Amino acid sequence: MKNIAFGQLLEKLLYLSNQKKSTLAKELGYDISYISKWINGRNLPTQKSISSICKIASEFIVKSLNATSKQELKHYFEIDVEVKDDTVLAQYIERSLKESYMVTAQKSSSNIYKSTHSEDNYNSMMHINPRLRKQYLAKDAILHISKSSKLDLILSTNLYRLNGNDKVSISEMKSALYSIQKDKEVKARVLTGFEGNQNDKVLNTLLIIDMITTYPNLDFEVYNCNVDSSNILAVIKDRIFHSAIFASDGQCLFTNMSKEKAIIDEVYYSLEEILKNQGKLLVEKETPLDLLKNKTYIQYIMGQDLKWVLGVMNEFFMPSDLFIEIAEDVFGNDKELLQELRQINAFLQNVTYKSNIKVLIYEAKLMKYISTGEITFFNTPVKLTLEQMERHIKNIEKIIKEHENIEIKLIENSSIEEFDSGLSPSMYLSKNLKLIKTHPMDEVNDYAIIKDNEFKKICDEVFDSVWNEKENILVSEKEDILEKISKALVYTRIINGEIN
C-alpha cells in the first residue's frame, strides 16, 4: 500500500471494518478532529506517536472484522487466504500503515527523515513475520520494478535445504519475471548448492531443471556456487535487498529488507564476486541448428549408457521414412542440415536402437501425443497427421515387442508430487554428455547442455532413483504399456470419426 496516502489508507481500513472515525478516535485516545485531519490529508501524526497509533489502530481494525469483511480485507491487501491468524493480519496492517506514513511524510517534507532514527526504520525493516514474507517480497519487487526499465537480480540459497513451500516459490519466480519482461530488461542469476535433504533429491532436482527449461527467452542463469546455507539472500541492483534466516528445521526465524544504497551495493557486488570466482554455470544453451551442425547431437546418440526421459514425444523411435519426411518439412530449405539429419537417422536406425537404452516416458504426455499429434522434432513444435502419428506409434509398439535391449517404463499420471506437473522435463543422459530440452516459447527452443560435473552426477542419480526405487509409480510390463497405447489409438480413431 505504498502508493496510497496515510489518511486514505486509514479511511479504507475503517470502511472495510465498518467502523467510524469517532470509534477509532476513542480507541486511540484522540479527539475525532485529529482523525479527520489525518484522513483528509491536512495533518499527520507525530513521529513520536506513529508507532503506537499504527499498532493500536491495526489491532482495532482486525478485532472489528467479521468473516466477510476479513476476506475483503485480505483481497484488498493481497494477503494469502490461508493466513487466518488475527495477530498476523494486524502485523501486516501495522506495517502497511507505517510504510504509508513514511512515504506520505517524506512527500510533505523531503528533509523530515534526514539524520533521524526514523530514516533507519524506513530503509530497513527487521523481524518481518515470516508467514507474510512472500507478500512483502512480491509487493516490494513490483514497486521497484515499476520505477525502472531494468531489473538485475541475484539470489543465493540452497534449494536442497529449504522447506517445501519456499523452494517451490523460488523455482516459480521465473514465471513472475517473464510476465514483466515484456516492457522491462530483466536479468536474473541464481546461486545454489546441492548438499541437503537427500529424501527430496528428485523433487529438488526437477525444480532446478524447471528453472532452466521454462521461459528460455529470459536472461536467467543458475550457478553451482556450493551454497551450503538454507538462508535466502536476494538483491535487486540499485533497488532493494532481502534476506531470510532459517532454523535447522526449515522454519523461517525472521526476514530483513533494506533500501540503503551502501548495503545493496555491498551485497550485490559480494554475490557477484562469489559468482565469478566460484560459480559454475549449470548449463550452456545451444539452438537445435547449432546442436546438429556442431555434431553435438550425434555425439550424444553415439554415447554409452543412454538414458532418456521423454517429457514430450519427439523424433525418437520414428520409422526411417517418417523421420526423413518430417525433417524435410521442418528443415528442407537447409541442404547441409538435411544431410546431417539423414546421417542421424541412419545412426538411430542401425546403431542406437540396437544399443542398450533405458527410457522413461510420462504417460500423460504419451497419451496427449496420441490424441493431438503434437510433437517436437529436434525441439521444434510440429503437429503430425493422424496417419503420420499412427506410423510413429506402431513403430514404438514394434520396438517394445522386438527389442529386448530397449527398456521402456511409463511414469503414471500424477502418481507422486515430483511428477504432478504440467511442465515435465525431457532429459537425455549418456556417460559423457547430458542434454535437457527447454520448453519452446516465442521461437526460442534451445537445448541446455549440462556443464557442471556435480549436476551431471545428480541427474544420473535422479534417473536411477526413479528407475530402480519408484516401482510403485511406474508401468514396467510390456503388455501393460502396449495395452495403454492400443486403447489410446482406438480412442483417437473414434474422435477422428474413423470408427463408428
Side-chain angles (χ1 to χ4, degrees):
M1 299 298 121
K2 293 180 182 177
N3 293 326
I4 187 171
F6 175 79
Q8 292 175 327
L9 179 56
L10 193 60
E11 185 177 33
K12 183 67 177 181
L13 289 168
L14 288 172
Y15 172 77
L16 289 170
S17 60
N18 196 30
Q19 286 294 345
K20 298 178 180 179
K21 291 184 285 186
S22 57
T23 313
L24 175 62
K26 183 177 179 181
E27 189 77 15
L28 292 172
Y30 281 78
D31 189 275
I32 189 174
S33 61
Y34 282 90
I35 311 299
S36 297
K37 289 177 182 178
W38 298 346
I39 288 175
N40 61 32
R42 289 170 56 193
N43 206 344
L44 281 173
T46 64
Q47 293 181 52
K48 183 178 180 180
S49 62
I50 188 60
S51 292
S52 175
I53 289 171
C54 291
K55 181 175 178 59
I56 295 171
S58 61
E59 292 174 350
F60 167 73
I61 294 296
V62 171
K63 280 194 302 183
S64 304
L65 297 172
N66 56 34
T68 302
S69 58
K70 186 177 289 187
Q71 290 302 110
E72 291 176 352
L73 183 138
K74 287 181 182 180
H75 177 74
Y76 180 74
F77 281 90
E78 298 180 345
I79 298 175
D80 192 330
V81 293
E82 294 181 1
V83 175
K84 295 180 170 43
D85 192 325
D86 286 351
T87 302
V88 174
L89 291 177
Q91 289 173 345
Y92 187 94
I93 294 170
E94 179 184 355
R95 180 177 185 269
S96 297
L97 282 169
K98 286 181 179 179
E99 289 178 344
S100 183
Y101 173 82
M102 295 288 186
V103 175
T104 305
Q106 195 172 42
K107 287 180 179 178
S108 301
S109 176
S110 59
N111 295 320
I112 192 168
Y113 296 109
K114 296 301 179 184
S115 302
T116 69
H117 182 64
S118 296
E119 182 180 24
D120 295 333
N121 289 336
Y122 173 69
N123 285 316
S124 182
M125 295 290 182
M126 294 285 290
H127 303 290
I128 298 170
N129 190 301
R131 292 176 65 182
L132 292 175
R133 179 165 46 82
K134 294 176 187 176
Q135 280 78 20
Y136 296 151
L137 285 168
K139 187 172 68 170
D140 285 316
I142 290 171
L143 174 67
H144 290 285
I145 290 165
S146 64
K147 292 182 178 180
S148 174
S149 60
K150 294 184 178 181
L151 184 148
D152 186 347
L153 166 71
I154 302 179
L155 185 145
S156 175
T157 190
N158 184 345
L159 285 177
Y160 286 67
R161 289 189 177 276
L162 291 179
N163 62 53
N165 289 334
D166 284 292
K167 75 174 89 180
V168 171
S169 295
I170 289 174
S171 71
E172 291 175 348
M173 74 177 176
K174 199 173 181 183
S175 174
L177 292 173
Y178 175 77
S179 68
I180 64 167
Q181 186 185 235
K182 297 172 185 176
D183 53 1
K184 308 289 181 185
E185 183 181 333
V186 176
K187 179 181 181 181
R189 289 165 287 178
V190 176
L191 285 59
T192 189
F194 302 116
E195 295 296 326
N197 188 351
Q198 298 304 303
N199 294 330
D200 293 335
K201 179 175 281 190
V202 174
L203 175 60
N204 295 334
T205 305
L206 291 182
L207 289 176
I208 290 178
I209 290 174
D210 258 2
M211 284 199 288
I212 292 169
T213 57
T214 54
Y215 307 102
N217 55 349
L218 188 67
D219 186 359
F220 188 103
E221 295 177 329
V222 184
Y223 291 82
N224 177 8
C225 287
N226 294 318
V227 175
D228 192 39
S229 172
S230 60
N231 300 330
I232 300 173
L233 301 179
V235 58
I236 299 176
K237 186 179 182 182
D238 299 327
R239 295 295 167 186
I240 197 166
F241 160 64
H242 281 275
S243 66
I245 308 300
F246 292 83
S248 58
D249 62 357
Q251 180 182 358
C252 185
L253 298 177
F254 72 92
T255 61
N256 172 47
M257 74 174 185
S258 177
K259 289 172 276 187
E260 285 279 5
K261 188 178 186 308
I263 295 175
I264 295 169
D265 287 349
E266 182 70 27
V267 175
Y268 179 88
Y269 290 111
S270 294
L271 290 177
E272 195 169 58
E273 184 176 1
I274 292 172
L275 189 151
K276 289 179 179 178
N277 294 332
Q278 304 175 26
K280 301 168 187 174
L281 190 62
L282 292 193
V283 301
E284 289 182 358
K285 303 287 185 66
E286 275 195 25
T287 67
L289 296 183
D290 289 337
L291 194 80
L292 293 168
K293 291 181 177 180
N294 294 340
K295 304 289 185 179
T296 306
Y297 189 94
I298 201 164
Q299 286 175 35
Y300 168 73
I301 60 174
M302 290 172 63
Q304 298 177 343
D305 193 22
L306 295 183
K307 302 172 184 176
W308 300 347
V309 181
L310 303 187
V312 62
M313 298 306 293
N314 56 31
E315 66 278 356
F316 288 137
F317 299 137
M318 278 188 175
S320 182
D321 57 341
L322 180 60
F323 185 99
I324 297 301
E325 188 178 314
I326 304 303
E328 290 175 346
D329 286 343
V330 177
F331 301 111
N333 59 341
D334 190 324
K335 293 183 179 180
E336 178 188 352
L337 186 59
L338 204 57
Q339 181 58 34
E340 178 67 18
L341 287 167
R342 289 192 180 98
Q343 292 178 1
I344 288 173
N345 184 36
F347 201 93
L348 285 171
Q349 306 297 334
N350 296 291
V351 180
T352 304
Y353 299 152
K354 296 179 182 179
S355 305
N356 294 321
I357 310 173
K358 292 181 179 178
V359 186
L360 286 171
I361 304 176
Y362 293 85
E363 181 182 349
K365 299 300 182 180
L366 175 60
M367 299 310 160
K368 180 181 179 182
Y369 167 50
I370 293 175
S371 63
T372 66
E374 294 173 356
I375 197 170
T376 63
F377 189 79
F378 292 92
N379 218 27
T380 302
V382 177
K383 186 175 176 64
L384 304 187
T385 66
L386 179 59
E387 184 273 335
Q388 289 174 323
M389 184 266 294
E390 284 190 329
R391 286 158 61 192
H392 187 194
I393 294 299
K394 286 177 180 177
N395 199 56
I396 293 176
E397 290 177 315
K398 180 182 177 182
I399 287 172
I400 292 174
K401 291 176 182 177
E402 299 178 1
H403 292 247
E404 294 293 333
N405 55 295
I406 296 179
E407 299 178 76
I408 296 178
K409 296 183 181 182
L410 295 184
I411 301 172
E412 288 188 297
N413 302 338
S414 304
S415 299
I416 54 175
E417 180 185 6
E418 293 96 319
F419 297 102
D420 188 11
S421 169
L423 296 173
S424 309
S426 293
M427 293 192 296
Y428 309 115
L429 312 175
S430 71
K431 187 174 181 179
N432 298 315
L433 189 59
K434 305 182 192 302
L435 312 174
I436 306 173
K437 277 187 176 181
T438 65
H439 300 283
M441 174 175 281
D442 300 335
E443 298 183 355
V444 179
N445 58 341
D446 296 334
Y447 284 78
I449 303 172
I450 302 177
K451 292 296 184 180
D452 179 66
N453 290 329
E454 190 174 1
F455 194 56
K456 285 181 181 180
K457 181 181 177 183
I458 287 173
C459 288
D460 278 329
E461 290 173 352
V462 165
F463 184 97
D464 293 340
S465 174
V466 175
W467 187 271
N468 297 316
E469 301 170 16
K470 303 285 187 180
E471 282 298 321
N472 60 313
I473 59 102
L474 298 178
V475 180
S476 304
E477 295 297 327
K478 288 186 176 183
E479 292 76 11
D480 294 337
I481 296 173
L482 290 170
E483 182 181 2
K484 286 177 178 287
I485 293 174
S486 177
K487 283 184 178 180
L489 276 172
V490 172
Y491 297 153
T492 301
R493 293 191 188 106
I494 292 173
I495 293 170
N496 283 272
E498 290 197 357
I499 300 177
N500 293 321

